[in-house]
Amino acid sequence: MFRYIVRRLLQGVLTFFGATLIVFALMFAGGGDPIQALAGEKPVTPQQRAALTEQFHLNAGFFQRYLYFLKDLFTGNLTTYTGRSVFDSIGDALVLTGKIALIALLFAMIVGVSFGIIAALRRGGVFDNTTLVLTLVVIGIPSIVLAPLAQYLFAIKWKIFPVIYTPDQPWTSLILPGLVLGSLSLATAMRLTRASFGDNLRADYVRTATSKGLKQGRVIGVHVLRNSLIPIVTFLGVELGNLMGGAIITESVFNVPGVGFKLYKAIGLDDGPTVVSIVSLLVVIYIVANLIVDVLYAVLDPRIRYE
């Protein structure tokens, strides 16, 4: 297991450098003018342009600028074009997006898995058919429609949650964005749990365990559930990275200054250091999440061993 983890971490290092190089190349190929984008409609004097060009190495070649980026990244000296530390900017945003992603993941994991199990046990019943229709409706609604709709119903009309994010209510005002962000994951997790749980209910080992006199609660709660969790854990592990990076629309609607909001703003300003740093962070989250998922495989199924 230790050798497998080390090998995966080494693969993760290559993935990290490959992803950052590709994103940096895309930003470099865009050919935008970050200095003018930062100034907006205000004129930039030749002296200011020359100073900023020298400071951020904008006149250097592609690989030279990439090496400067890596140097500043690993030494902690990476700054945005506004002069603020990238790590300070991303750190504040990461906390907010992490809270939203945690709410969304718990919502999808608890409600989605529970409803999926009930639907599998009552296959073809009213609950199964109702959840099927609801999940298809939720999956079919894009976030750009679902977020304002939820904001209108639960915040403006019924006044259950705050309308937008406010620092005075750091958790309460993040619940609704988290539920909106996790709704698509909830629908997928529910259908995936229903399919996996239903397949295992018809497996031979379930009939064998039942014929030996084991109680139905133990058969379902221990044997069937454990064997059904592998595809669900895979989905939730990958979905964690999707939740962290896919919050642009949700954070914009609810005015949450998270990672998605920062990424959208940085792209508009051609702020390459911030864009590549955020993508690098998301790559690390993906790598760690997938490694944890692979380790959990061996915990859930003793037959899986990594040599």
Side-chain angles (χ1 to χ4, degrees):
M1 175 68 76
F2 177 76
R3 293 176 59 186
Y4 173 79
I5 294 177
V6 172
R7 186 168 66 250
R8 285 295 303 274
L9 290 176
L10 293 177
Q11 294 173 353
V13 172
L14 296 177
T15 304
F16 173 82
F17 283 109
T20 55
L21 180 62
I22 292 173
V23 176
F24 196 88
L26 293 175
M27 293 297 298
F28 185 86
D33 187 357
I35 297 177
Q36 190 60 54
L38 180 63
E41 297 181 356
K42 298 180 180 179
V44 180
T45 64
Q47 294 80 5
Q48 292 174 330
R49 180 175 292 276
L52 291 173
T53 300
E54 181 67 23
Q55 179 182 354
F56 294 105
H57 315 289
L58 297 179
N59 55 349
F62 168 70
F63 285 104
Q64 189 176 1
R65 286 176 62 179
Y66 180 66
L67 292 177
Y68 277 124
F69 165 76
L70 292 179
K71 176 186 175 182
D72 293 338
L73 178 66
F74 291 120
T75 57
N77 297 322
L78 193 64
T79 58
T80 66
Y81 290 140
T82 60
R84 185 184 181 188
S85 171
V86 170
F87 297 101
D88 292 340
S89 178
I90 295 179
D92 298 338
L94 181 62
V95 173
L96 292 175
T97 303
K99 291 179 180 179
I100 296 177
L102 178 62
I103 295 172
L105 195 63
L106 290 176
F107 179 53
M109 184 171 57
I110 296 174
V111 179
V113 173
S114 300
F115 281 16
I117 292 175
I118 296 174
L121 293 175
R122 301 178 180 179
R123 182 181 292 268
V126 176
F127 183 86
D128 183 27
N129 294 326
T130 303
T131 54
L132 173 61
V133 173
L134 292 178
T135 51
L136 291 177
V137 170
V138 172
I139 293 175
I141 300 177
S143 299
I144 196 171
V145 176
L146 186 61
L149 179 62
Q151 186 181 48
Y152 170 74
L153 291 177
F154 296 102
I156 298 176
K157 185 176 182 179
W158 297 330
K159 302 184 184 304
I160 300 177
F161 301 105
V163 178
I164 60 174
Y165 168 76
T166 55
D168 297 336
Q169 299 174 301
W171 277 104
T172 306
S173 57
L174 291 177
I175 293 178
L176 186 56
L179 296 181
V180 171
L181 187 62
S183 60
L184 297 178
S185 303
L186 166 70
T188 306
M190 187 183 304
R191 304 315 304 171
L192 185 61
T193 302
R194 177 188 178 276
S196 178
F197 209 85
D199 291 340
N200 280 283
L201 281 175
R202 296 187 295 270
D204 293 336
Y205 72 87
V206 174
R207 288 191 291 268
T208 302
T210 304
S211 64
K212 288 183 176 180
L214 291 180
K215 295 182 179 180
Q216 186 180 15
R218 179 172 178 80
V219 173
I220 294 175
V222 178
H223 301 287
V224 178
L225 179 61
R226 187 170 182 176
N227 285 282
S228 302
L229 282 179
I230 289 183
I232 302 166
V233 168
T234 303
F235 166 74
L236 292 176
V238 176
E239 193 66 11
L240 175 61
N242 293 333
L243 293 174
M244 293 292 292
I248 296 178
I249 296 175
T250 304
E251 290 180 351
S252 299
V253 171
F254 292 96
N255 197 31
V256 181
V259 171
F261 184 81
K262 293 284 185 182
L263 181 60
Y264 175 77
K265 187 176 180 180
I267 293 174
L269 294 174
D270 290 323
D271 191 351
T274 302
V275 173
V276 182
S277 299
I278 292 177
V279 173
S280 302
L281 175 65
L282 296 178
V283 169
V284 172
I285 293 175
Y286 267 108
I287 292 172
V288 174
N290 280 275
L291 178 59
I292 294 174
V293 167
D294 288 344
V295 173
L296 285 177
Y297 285 165
V299 176
L300 294 173
D301 192 343
R303 297 170 297 178
I304 299 177
R305 289 292 180 264
Y306 299 113
E307 299 296 339

